[in-house]
Amino acid sequence: MTTRSERKSASQAPVVVYDKVRKLYGSFVALDGVSVQVNKGEVMCLIGPSGSGKSTLLRCTNALEAIDGGRVLIDGVPLPTDEREARKVRQRMGMVFQNFELFPHKNALDNVAIGPVTVLGMSETKARERAMKLLEKVGLADKAHNFPSGLSGGQQQRVAIARALAMEPEVMLFDEPTSALDPETIGEVLNVMKKLADEGMTMVVVTHEMAFARSVADWVVVFDHGKVVEQGPPRQIFEAPTAERTRDFLGHLGWHG
Amino acid sequence: MDFDFSALLDSWQYLLGGLGITLLLSLLTGIGALVLGTALGLGRVYGPAWLRIPIVFYIDTQRAIPVLVVLVWFYFAVPILTGISFHPFWAALMALTLHIAAYVAEIVRAGIESIRPGQIRAALALGMSRPQIVRKVVLPQALVRMLPAFGSILSITIKDTAIATVIAVPELMKRAETIAGQSYRPIEVFTVVMVIYFIILFPGTRLIDALYKRVAHLGRS
Amino acid sequence: MNLDWNIVWDHRAELLDGALLTVLLTVLTMVVAVPVGIVLALMRLSKSRVLAGASQAYVEFFRNLPLILVVYWAFYVMPVLLHIQFSAFTTGLVALCLNVSAYNAETFRAGINSIRKGQTEAAIAVGMSRWQAMKKVVIPQAWRRVLPVLASTWVSLFKDTSLVSVIAVGELAHVALQIRSSSFRVLEMLTAMAVIYWLMGYPQAKLVDWIQKRFEVKE
């Protein structure tokens, strides 16, 4: 298990920049001036207690939610407020949800193909070819014609990953991808994610899987109450955290380096 | 207690003609109510305020007034207001369609609103536009969920056509009354008509239930 | 087209009586149809195939017939079958009760079935009898799901009372139509009838909406 101590890809350009991002739900401050940078080819893990703002930040990244302060820059360009422009930006990012959110009325193959067909105007044949290749990549080529109701949780999540990849995104956003899975199936999903990381995909992952974060992440950001309490390479966060809150959080999880 | 079915045997063609009218009226009403109701339902969910508010008022009004009242008002009052008089069949068709469309609209609304927001978020994350999301993700699933309710709408429609008897539409119920009145054999006549209605209605609901079981998983997210 | 709306005001007492009778029919029917519905539901859920079958037959029968037909049938058949002459009111009431209890039976059955089996199992594991489990665990949870449907059935029933007008029961529809016939004030009376139903029915429909929101069960 190797941990990386310097910031890998520090020489690469930042793909996503969060600059003092603020987000409010009524009077509740979900994000309180978050400043983080995601470099190309990097795997960034966001960890922290529930409700600390990690998922909120992710949803602001592809404009699923609007921010109330600060900026989110994609390739140096602030997120557009116009819905049509925002849609174009969303096409460059892939998102994987905790509840998979596969479309139940389409089989696995068509779930993966629906993005290219509907959004990119690709022909169904071409889209299905691409979908098949991606299903092979996640190890589910034999389940291409199954409907979500006929797939296990882990299988559904892998199809969901393939669906996001079908749009050939620059960045993949994962919102607690394994939190709704049985322990036995968590492994199969994490393996797919690790493979993606090894291939150089830029990934932002909100997760509670600390072992995964420790071994796969290039950079870890610790959240608490809407703020970043610490960020750094996994070796720092997991072996020698500098912030009190980080130590508390990891200690709570039974993680003692 | 002696039974005499002779009047029925003599007039069976007359009765069957009534059944034909019942089925025709039900079919036309069903289609009309489905189309109008879906339009109203979509307008209710996705329309701007100036469209939504009148639609809601219309739907709530139909929910508040009995079918009988709508039928009678259409047949007797509308001619006075507009100067056009309708054949009972058409008056019944319009009244029933307008009334039942309100229920269809509510079913459409409930179906659409039952789709989890997560599905919409997933579609947004792929870059789909809102109209695309409605067409490709929300409606296909909502339609499956609405199936059982649509089935019961069909059943209600057929039952409501029987009320058209009060405005002398020559459907099954009216013809039954006529024969019963002429033959003084109401028990035999109405019992047979009961059986006829049961035979057309009972399989319908069972069929819809069976169909729904087969496709329910397509609407479950 | 000359309209005389005074006719409505002149007959306000009769219309009010009609409206009250409508309400009375609704209340009385529910008073009978709710307990009968519960009994039918329990019969359907019982282990006895005879009881379950009888209940199912009853429910399927009345759910698949037009109410207006049941009204007519009751009017002609009951006196002959039972050798007593009933008033139109009673006949209408019986028809309504037969009809609504069938719907209620389904409502209660669905409500009870919607409670996960595990709940009953947990109760029995603790040592309760099936009956106690039903009373203490299932029914308290089930009634939340049943209430919105009952409310909706109530409003439907309220409107369906208009159908007993065909056997000359003096509820609102019958009264209004009678006045129309005798006065020839068609538009005025029919509109008045519609408006009075609307005034009574609209708040009920809104109340049903509120109840459904309040008791909404989110899985």
Side-chain angles (χ1 to χ4, degrees):
Chain A
M1 203 161 57
T2 51
T3 59
R4 299 154 229 220
S5 43
E6 329 85 24
R7 183 152 197 179
K8 180 192 170 209
S9 322
S11 52
Q12 299 278 11
V15 176
V16 183
V17 174
Y18 304 99
D19 181 23
K20 304 198 195 64
V21 175
R22 274 178 68 82
K23 172 76 188 167
L24 302 158
Y25 289 109
S27 57
F28 173 68
V29 184
L31 293 172
D32 193 1
V34 171
S35 296
V36 177
Q37 180 178 305
V38 186
N39 295 334
K40 189 162 156 59
E42 197 169 59
V43 176
M44 172 178 295
C45 283
L46 309 181
I47 64 174
S50 303
S52 53
K54 330 185 283 294
S55 293
T56 311
L57 189 70
L58 212 67
R59 284 203 302 276
C60 292
T61 312
N62 66 349
L64 243 50
E65 309 236 14
I67 55 177
D68 297 309
R71 301 179 303 166
V72 177
L73 303 170
I74 313 289
D75 285 335
V77 178
L79 273 181
T81 39
D82 173 60
E83 177 66 16
R84 251 179 317 176
E85 297 299 312
R87 229 163 44 224
K88 294 213 193 90
V89 174
R90 283 189 205 120
Q91 294 170 28
R92 290 156 51 201
M93 296 191 243
M95 189 172 229
V96 176
F97 298 82
Q98 181 175 342
N99 290 316
F100 336 131
E101 299 297 354
L102 288 184
F103 303 132
H105 56 297
K106 296 199 173 289
N107 64 19
L109 189 70
D110 285 333
N111 254 285
V112 179
I114 193 175
V117 169
T118 320
V119 180
L120 303 176
M122 198 182 273
S123 77
E124 283 220 27
T125 343
K126 256 192 82 185
R128 286 205 176 119
E129 270 173 39
R130 181 187 283 193
M132 204 51 175
K133 285 209 194 75
L134 287 168
L135 283 176
E136 278 166 20
K137 187 183 169 99
V138 301
L140 286 170
D142 57 328
K143 301 274 183 204
H145 298 286
N146 284 46
F147 281 82
S149 57
L151 297 170
S152 74
Q155 290 169 335
Q156 287 187 58
Q157 193 62 299
R158 284 188 276 154
V159 175
I161 294 175
R163 179 177 64 177
L165 289 173
M167 297 294 289
E168 297 188 333
E170 298 164 26
V171 183
M172 283 286 280
L173 307 171
F174 292 85
D175 191 355
E176 299 202 34
T178 56
S179 295
L181 296 176
D182 306 319
E184 308 96 59
T185 48
I186 290 179
E188 65 195 48
V189 174
L190 292 179
N191 282 335
V192 170
M193 289 168 69
K194 181 166 193 318
K195 211 162 85 164
L196 269 181
D198 289 339
E199 288 169 5
M201 172 66 77
T202 310
M203 294 162 60
V204 183
V205 184
V206 174
T207 186
H208 290 296
E209 294 292 322
M210 296 305 156
F212 174 82
R214 186 152 197 273
S215 66
V216 179
D218 299 305
W219 199 252
V220 177
V221 182
V222 185
F223 276 80
D224 190 31
H225 286 97
K227 288 195 172 67
V228 173
V229 296
E230 185 168 358
Q231 55 178 309
R235 173 175 276 186
Q236 171 196 324
I237 302 292
F238 291 106
E239 294 177 25
T242 57
E244 186 75 40
R245 293 297 298 135
T246 313
R247 277 196 285 269
D248 282 344
F249 172 65
L250 293 174
H252 249 340
L253 294 179
W255 183 272
H256 297 290
Chain B
M1 210 161 55
D2 67 306
F3 291 115
D4 175 11
F5 288 91
S6 58
L8 275 166
L9 293 169
D10 288 340
S11 321
W12 67 270
Q13 277 166 315
Y14 182 66
L15 207 62
L16 237 52
L19 177 61
I21 304 268
T22 291
L23 292 174
L24 181 65
L25 184 58
S26 305
L27 185 68
L28 293 178
T29 301
I31 296 173
L34 231 63
V35 170
L36 179 61
T38 305
L40 288 173
L42 289 174
R44 163 99 186 246
V45 178
Y46 295 117
W50 58 262
L51 192 62
R52 273 201 326 267
I53 298 176
I55 290 181
V56 172
F57 182 74
Y58 174 83
I59 293 174
D60 287 341
T61 297
Q62 293 301 332
R63 287 169 64 204
I65 309 183
V67 183
L68 179 83
V69 174
V70 178
L71 273 167
V72 168
W73 200 84
F74 239 90
Y75 185 60
F76 293 110
V78 170
I80 299 181
L81 279 175
T82 60
I84 328 167
S85 68
F86 300 104
H87 184 279
F89 182 88
W90 298 110
L93 177 60
M94 285 191 288
L96 288 173
T97 302
L98 286 172
H99 185 79
I100 296 175
Y103 292 98
V104 173
E106 279 296 273
I107 291 170
V108 168
R109 177 172 79 100
I112 292 175
E113 288 180 357
S114 75
I115 305 299
R116 288 155 42 117
Q119 288 283 298
I120 299 173
R121 262 185 253 142
L124 275 172
L126 284 171
M128 287 196 216
S129 69
R130 298 244 169 218
Q132 282 178 326
I133 295 177
V134 171
R135 258 191 3 250
K136 301 235 155 206
V137 174
V138 174
L139 283 183
Q141 294 183 53
L143 241 56
V144 171
R145 296 178 185 205
M146 294 183 230
L147 209 58
F150 278 156
S152 77
I153 286 286
L154 189 60
S155 169
I156 289 171
T157 302
I158 297 175
K159 287 187 266 184
D160 280 355
T161 58
I163 305 177
T165 183
V166 305
I167 58 172
V169 175
E171 42 70 57
L172 184 58
M173 189 69 211
K174 181 85 195 116
R175 296 207 169 172
E177 283 176 69
T178 308
I179 300 175
Q182 285 172 353
S183 67
Y184 298 98
R185 288 273 154 204
I187 300 177
E188 291 89 327
V189 175
F190 286 126
T191 305
V192 167
V193 170
M194 249 184 180
V195 172
I196 297 178
Y197 270 112
F198 186 80
I199 291 175
I200 29 173
L201 286 165
F202 181 67
T205 42
R206 281 322 181 95
L207 210 75
I208 301 282
D209 279 343
L211 186 67
Y212 177 69
K213 278 204 177 76
R214 305 273 282 337
V215 298
H217 66 107
L218 295 176
R220 219 168 271 144
S221 59
Chain C
M1 189 171 76
N2 71 318
L3 298 175
D4 173 22
W5 295 96
N6 288 325
I7 192 86
V8 179
W9 182 253
D10 292 341
H11 291 274
R12 66 190 182 283
E14 292 157 73
L15 287 168
L16 186 64
D17 283 341
L20 286 174
L21 205 72
T22 294
V23 174
L24 183 66
L25 277 168
T26 311
V27 171
L28 286 178
T29 302
M30 266 310 195
V31 163
V32 172
V34 165
V36 173
I38 294 178
V39 168
L40 285 166
L42 292 174
M43 276 170 66
R44 177 76 186 266
L45 294 168
S46 80
K47 304 270 184 153
S48 154
R49 288 170 114 223
V50 171
L51 288 179
S55 169
Q56 185 170 7
Y58 175 96
V59 170
E60 292 292 352
F61 186 67
F62 283 105
R63 282 179 64 205
N64 285 298
L65 291 176
L67 177 54
I68 194 170
L69 177 58
V70 177
V71 170
Y72 271 117
W73 191 84
F75 187 69
Y76 289 111
V77 170
M78 268 170 53
V80 174
L81 215 59
L82 304 170
H83 299 291
I84 338 170
Q85 194 58 37
F86 290 106
S87 69
F89 179 85
T90 314
T91 312
L93 187 62
V94 168
L96 287 169
C97 289
L98 288 171
N99 180 272
V100 176
S101 57
Y103 286 100
N104 284 349
E106 273 301 281
T107 304
F108 290 119
R109 182 176 78 98
I112 292 174
N113 273 345
S114 72
I115 307 301
R116 291 194 317 275
K117 231 175 62 133
Q119 293 285 298
T120 311
E121 284 168 0
I124 293 182
V126 157
M128 292 194 218
S129 69
R130 287 209 95 91
W131 176 236
Q132 283 177 316
M134 180 70 58
K135 224 176 67 165
K136 298 248 157 198
V137 172
V138 176
I139 291 183
Q141 294 185 56
W143 78 265
R144 273 187 79 96
R145 298 169 198 225
V146 161
L147 201 64
V149 186
L150 275 184
S152 180
T153 306
W154 168 283
V155 177
S156 293
L157 167 61
F158 164 77
K159 293 186 290 179
D160 285 344
T161 56
S162 59
L163 294 178
V164 304
S165 62
V166 300
I167 56 172
V169 177
E171 43 68 64
L172 180 57
H174 182 78
V175 168
L177 292 171
Q178 286 289 89
I179 302 172
R180 171 202 63 158
S181 302
S182 60
S183 69
F184 298 103
R185 293 270 145 220
V186 176
L187 185 62
E188 295 90 320
M189 284 318 299
L190 292 184
T191 308
M193 176 173 68
V195 168
I196 299 175
Y197 269 111
W198 188 90
L199 285 172
M200 293 198 283
Y202 194 88
Q204 290 182 61
K206 282 319 201 182
L207 191 65
V208 169
D209 283 345
W210 179 82
I211 291 178
Q212 278 174 345
K213 265 209 177 61
R214 175 88 169 63
F215 291 93
E216 199 178 0
V217 176
K218 285 231 183 280
E219 292 295 319

